Amino acid sequence: MEIGFLSVLSLGFILGVKHAMEPDHVIAVSTIASQSKRLSVSSLTGVFWGIGHTSTLLIIGMLLILMKGGIPDSISMSLEFLVGIMLVYFGISSFRSAKRNQQSVQHSHHHTSYKKSVFMGFIHGLAGSAAMVLLTMSTVNSVWEGILYILIFGGGTIVGMLLFTTILGVPFIISSKKVRLHTGLIKAAGGISILFGIYYMYNLGVSEGLFSMWFSASLK
């Protein structure tokens, strides 16, 4: 393997770690990690997000690379719009969780939270697939190099999100025995997610013209 490509892979890993820390990723995962009362569960939330994210990038990314095609702006932006909807949905879900007696459902909540994390990663992967393909096609020379690059990038996102959800989980674990404080933190995470989700959709729809694209397409 050429030294140049090893450098590209190293950069891909670093970019993956950085990618995991993007605001929409962090805010979405925090709505789930905040509800955990065990640090291991909070940490694994990030790992499962990374698995879902990498799987989508790999499947869609390789299909597009093999077809040597791209994703139209209207479609890629529509996929990003799904992220905004998801942020609002999981924000509302956090408020519902805060109202429940979490102590009684905590044991069965683990698998549910992991499924939610994979789903989040899947949606984020869909939204980021267009940019990932452009980045991959500009840095590699073959399909196999593309596969390896996306896997390394995905490994970076898993490590980055694992670190973040572990750090994020600490204050929630500490506050877990103080019901009012713990509930307040869960609601705060949910509120931030809802507000950011609304902003995200407004920015895409109005500022970047997605609504206009939809309107124009409906007239054709």
Side-chain angles (χ1 to χ4, degrees):
M1 188 177 292
E2 297 178 3
I3 298 297
F5 185 55
L6 286 174
S7 299
V8 168
L9 292 181
S10 299
L11 178 61
F13 183 83
I14 294 170
L15 289 174
V17 174
K18 181 176 179 293
H19 181 70
M21 302 302 181
E22 290 184 6
D24 57 311
H25 300 164
V26 169
I27 290 171
V29 174
S30 68
T31 61
I32 295 179
S34 65
Q35 298 171 39
S36 174
K37 294 185 178 182
R38 289 172 54 188
L39 193 58
S40 60
V41 176
S42 180
S43 299
L44 283 173
T45 296
V47 173
F48 279 95
W49 176 91
I51 291 171
H53 185 266
T54 304
S55 299
T56 316
L57 283 183
L58 188 61
I59 295 168
I60 295 182
M62 292 319 303
L63 283 174
L64 291 171
I65 290 172
L66 286 168
M67 293 187 298
K68 296 182 179 179
I71 300 178
D73 287 344
S74 59
I75 295 178
S76 64
M77 289 173 67
S78 296
L79 290 173
E80 286 189 44
F81 195 82
L82 285 177
V83 172
I85 295 173
M86 181 182 70
L87 286 166
V88 172
Y89 171 78
F90 280 106
I92 294 171
S93 179
S94 290
F95 277 90
R96 289 175 178 170
S97 296
K99 292 179 181 179
R100 293 198 298 262
N101 184 345
Q102 294 190 348
Q103 188 66 40
S104 64
V105 299
Q106 182 67 26
H107 197 67
S108 61
H109 175 70
H110 295 172
H111 296 299
T112 303
S113 67
Y114 297 154
K115 289 177 182 176
K116 287 180 179 178
S117 297
V118 172
F119 176 74
M120 281 182 176
F122 178 82
I123 296 296
H124 279 129
L126 281 178
S129 58
M132 182 74 243
V133 170
L134 287 174
L135 180 62
T136 304
M137 291 176 77
S138 65
T139 53
V140 302
N141 300 314
S142 70
V143 173
W144 290 110
E145 285 186 358
I147 292 173
L148 188 56
Y149 182 86
I150 293 175
L151 286 173
I152 294 295
F153 180 90
T157 65
I158 292 173
V159 171
M161 194 57 84
L162 169 63
L163 291 172
F164 174 77
T165 50
T166 300
I167 295 169
L168 175 73
V170 172
F172 291 102
I173 303 306
I174 292 173
S175 68
S176 63
K177 293 182 180 179
K178 299 176 181 178
V179 178
R180 184 174 295 180
L181 176 59
H182 190 68
T183 301
L185 289 174
I186 293 173
K187 287 181 177 179
I192 292 171
S193 186
I194 291 170
L195 291 173
F196 190 81
I198 292 171
Y199 162 76
Y200 200 88
M201 288 186 285
Y202 174 84
N203 185 57
L204 278 168
V206 179
S207 303
E208 297 190 25
L210 178 59
F211 293 159
S212 297
M213 291 181 191
W214 286 351
F215 182 71
S216 298
S218 67
L219 295 177
K220 292 179 180 180

